């Protein structure tokens, strides 16, 4: 079976481990996009910390969970989002204005929607978590 989206596989395995009540989850293969996405999640306190293990194949990531993730997912295809359209996507995807984040890939790097709004940059949507 061929992997279509490595990021989607990673987020689904995190979500499933969270539902089962696990404290750790192993994600493979690893990619730069997964590491940046996990960095955004860790910055907002949705996961504890993660460790990238480099076996000279695809690489692995070990993520320590803390029980805060309700849902995380990938938006495919990666739609273009202008700065003025961010609010529309937030209301469509997130359950509340108080919590949850969209993750965008912009020319300034991978960041959440609030940071993109502060920097006044649009980009392509990668996914969401809350």
């Amino acid at each position: 079976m061929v992997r279509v989206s490595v990021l989607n596989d990673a987020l689904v395995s995190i979500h499933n481990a969270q539902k089962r009540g696990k404290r750790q989850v192993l994600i493979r293969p690893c990619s730069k996009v997964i590491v940046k996405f996990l960095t955004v999640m860790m910055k907002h306190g949705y996961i504890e910390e993660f460790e990238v293990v480099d076996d000279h194949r695809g690489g692995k990531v070990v993520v320590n969970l803390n029980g805060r993730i309700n849902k995380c997912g990938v938006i495919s295809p990666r739609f273009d989002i202008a700065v003025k359209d961010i609010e529309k996507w937030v209301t469509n995807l997130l359950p509340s204005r108080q919590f949850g984040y969209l993750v965008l890939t912009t020319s300034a790097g991978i960041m959440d929607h609030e940071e993109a709004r502060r920097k006044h940059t649009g980009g392509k949507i990668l996914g969401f978590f809350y």
Side-chain angles (χ1 to χ4, degrees), residues 35-50 66 68 101-104 108-116 118-119 129:
V35 171
K36 297 284 190 186
F37 200 101
L38 291 175
T39 306
V40 173
M41 290 174 86
M42 188 173 69
K43 188 174 79 176
H44 293 292
Y46 280 83
I47 59 175
E48 291 294 330
E49 69 266 339
F50 62 92
N66 61 2
R68 279 199 58 200
Y101 295 94
L102 297 181
V103 180
L104 307 172
I110 294 178
M111 62 187 74
D112 61 82
H113 69 276
E114 292 174 353
E115 186 180 348
R118 277 196 303 273
K119 290 185 177 179
F129 59 90

Side-chain angles (χ1 to χ4, degrees), residues 92-106:
N92 284 343
L93 289 173
L94 301 180
S96 167
R97 293 178 65 112
Q98 281 81 28
F99 66 97
Y101 295 94
L102 297 181
V103 180
L104 307 172
T105 175
T106 66

